[in-house]
Each structure stands twice: as structure tokens, then as C-alpha cells.
């Protein structure tokens, strides 16, 4: 899918945008939808609202729907990831996986695989309603089994948080990093059965 998307994009489209995306995104999102979405966001110079969504159905299981939901914003700001996740929880979504990206050429470009009992049209309506989804929810009591530093340099850190899958786990982790003064550059969430693992790449805000 990477090569198909690259071949269909204009010659002046920055190749670094594709190179900086999590490779998993090319396996999960239909290539035509991903290509058109990337092109539209790259060409737009005025995406200042997080209310930019694309919902892609991924099937249904035991009365629950699975969707990939994309948030985009031209400029990043502290706490933005936590705000995005809070919006998902507010409308009853459970985050199963997340592919989070921030780059100079594209801005914030985050995809979340969620589970919900709501149908696609209603879910999209709730997410895009006026005045909704801008506030942060009250932090939950979430326990992490382990927190490990994967790599560290003068410029950035990569950490891993593991634990039993709990509601609000990604939100609590994002809020924790925000409170510690971190700017999240990328993140990835894996959930399997009852376990979750979250990877964050971030830099500390200068004071």
C-alpha cells in the first residue's frame, strides 16, 4: 500500500510524510482512503480545529462495531492527544489501538481503532457536533504494571507502559506525560485480550 499511495500522489507531495507514518497504517487503512485523506490535509492550510474526522468501518462483533477514527490538526499543542482521547470516551468509544503522528509538514495526524455500540452515522454526528468534545474528562484511577525507557537521547525519549487493559488507560498515560511537561511526537497502542501496551516518543517542553 505504501508504494501504491506514493505512486498516486503528486510529485511535489513530501515523501517524508509517508516515511514518518507508522507502517501499520498502510496495512489497516484502505490505500485509496488514506491517499485522499493525506492529500486533502496536506493541501489545506487552515485545519485549526480538531473536528476533522474520517470514520472507516472495520466490521462488527457481538453487537459492537469497530471503526478507525482519524483526528487531524495543523498545529500541535500540549495536551492535544489527551483531548482527542477524551472526545472518544465521551461518546462511548473504547480505544483498541492508536497510531499517533506529529510532523512539521502535516501537523497532527492521529488514527484510533475504537469499539463502539453506535452506528457509524450516529458516531460521526456525535463527534462533530457543535460545542462538543473540547473539554478533558476527569482522570481515572489507572494502574500500570511497568514503565520502561526504551531509548533516550538528548533530543527525545521513547517509553513503554504496560498493564491490564483498563478504561481510560491511554487518556491517563497521555495526561501523565502532559503533566510532566512532555510534548508527544508519536504514540502506538496495542491491546490484546486483557493486556495493553503503549509506546510514546516525546520531548520535554522547555521552560
Amino acid at each position: 500500500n505504501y508504494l501504491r499511495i506514493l505512486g498516486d500522489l503528486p510529485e511535489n507531495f513530501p515523501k517524508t510524510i509517508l516515511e514518518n507514518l507508522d507502517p501499520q497504517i498502510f496495512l489497516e487503512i484502505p490505500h485509496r482512503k488514506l491517499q485522499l485523506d493525506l492529500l486533502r490535509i496536506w493541501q489545506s492550510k487552515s485545519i485549526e480545529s480538531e473536528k476533522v474526522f474520517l470514520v472507516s468501518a472495520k466490521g462488527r462483533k457481538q453487537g459492537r462495531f469497530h471503526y478507525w477514527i482519524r483526528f487531524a490538526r495543523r498545529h500541535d499543542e500540549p495536551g492535544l492527544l489527551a483531548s482527542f482521547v477524551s472526545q472518544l470516551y465521551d461518546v462511548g468509544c473504547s480505544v483498541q489501538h492508536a497510531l499517533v503522528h506529529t510532523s512539521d509538514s502535516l501537523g497532527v495526524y492521529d488514527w484510533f481503532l475504537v469499539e463502539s455500540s453506535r452506528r457509524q452515522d450516529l458516531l460521526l454526528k456525535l463527534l462533530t457536533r457543535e460545542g462538543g468534545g473540547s473539554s478533558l474528562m476527569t482522570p481515572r484511577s489507572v494502574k500500570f504494571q511497568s514503565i520502561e525507557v526504551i531509548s533516550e537521547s538528548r533530543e527525545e525519549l521513547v517509553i513503554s507502559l504496560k498493564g491490564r487493559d483498563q478504561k481510560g488507560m491511554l487518556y491517563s498515560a497521555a495526561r501523565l506525560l502532559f503533566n510532566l511537561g512532555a510534548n508527544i511526537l508519536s504514540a502506538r497502542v496495542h491491546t490484546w485480550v486483557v493486556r495493553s501496551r503503549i509506546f510514546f516518543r516525546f520531548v520535554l517542553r522547555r521552560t
Side-chain angles (χ1 to χ4, degrees), residues 143-167:
K143 295 182 179 179
F144 297 100
Q145 198 172 44
S146 67
I147 300 177
E148 177 185 358
V149 176
I150 304 299
S151 66
E152 180 179 2
S153 68
R154 295 181 62 181
E155 291 78 25
E156 61 186 43
L157 291 90
V158 177
I159 65 172
S160 164
L161 300 92
K162 293 191 293 186
R164 181 177 57 84
D165 186 29
Q166 306 157 72
K167 185 176 181 180

Side-chain angles (χ1 to χ4, degrees), residues 56-109:
S56 179
K58 201 189 177 188
R60 183 179 182 181
K61 183 178 180 181
Q62 297 178 344
R64 306 281 290 181
F65 298 92
H66 291 84
Y67 306 104
W68 277 102
I69 299 179
R70 192 270 293 129
F71 289 74
R73 192 166 180 178
R74 176 59 61 188
H75 299 291
D76 193 11
E77 63 182 48
L80 189 58
L81 174 60
S83 177
F84 286 167
V85 176
S86 181
Q87 292 180 56
L88 293 173
Y89 288 138
D90 283 347
V91 297
C93 290
S94 172
V95 177
Q96 305 296 303
H97 298 287
L99 305 172
V100 174
H101 317 84
T102 302
S103 66
D104 293 336
S105 50
L106 195 64
V108 178
Y109 191 68

